[in-house]
Amino acid sequence: QAPFFSSGCFSQLLTKALGTAIILGSCLNKTPIMINMMSNKSAAGISRGSLYGEAIVYSCGVFYGFLSGHPFTAFGENLMLLIQNVI
């Protein structure tokens, strides 16, 4: 059995890889909506209240993760969604 798989190194590597994959996936979350808005040159049907609510929720998650000293892979998803929400 390889020592790489039996140690805690593999579990940490797997955790970081999953966190990075989630962050990269969250970068594509609002992409279809943004493409539709850009092609139609209109934001009709987008609720401002829901955007403001999402911005508050995502910013709370980012600030909590950052101020608590969590690694970026723990709160990076919220940051990416917040950036897309602001745009």
Side-chain angles (χ1 to χ4, degrees):
Q1 187 172 0
F4 176 73
F5 293 113
S6 63
S7 68
C9 180
F10 180 70
S11 64
Q12 286 185 347
L13 178 67
L14 184 63
T15 302
K16 293 293 182 184
L18 286 175
T20 304
I22 289 171
I23 291 170
L24 292 175
S26 70
C27 291
L28 303 173
N29 189 13
K30 302 245 183 208
T31 303
I33 296 170
M34 292 168 48
I35 290 172
N36 285 339
M37 287 172 50
M38 292 165 78
S39 67
N40 294 332
K41 295 182 178 26
S42 172
I46 305 293
S47 169
R48 285 186 183 176
S50 68
L51 291 177
Y52 295 149
E54 285 181 10
I56 291 170
V57 169
Y58 296 144
S59 61
C60 286
V62 170
F63 288 132
Y64 177 78
F66 180 74
L67 294 175
S68 296
H70 296 301
F72 180 73
T73 53
F75 64 88
E77 175 187 7
N78 285 330
L79 180 62
M80 295 302 144
L81 291 172
L82 177 63
I83 289 170
Q84 291 177 42
N85 206 11
V86 170
I87 291 175

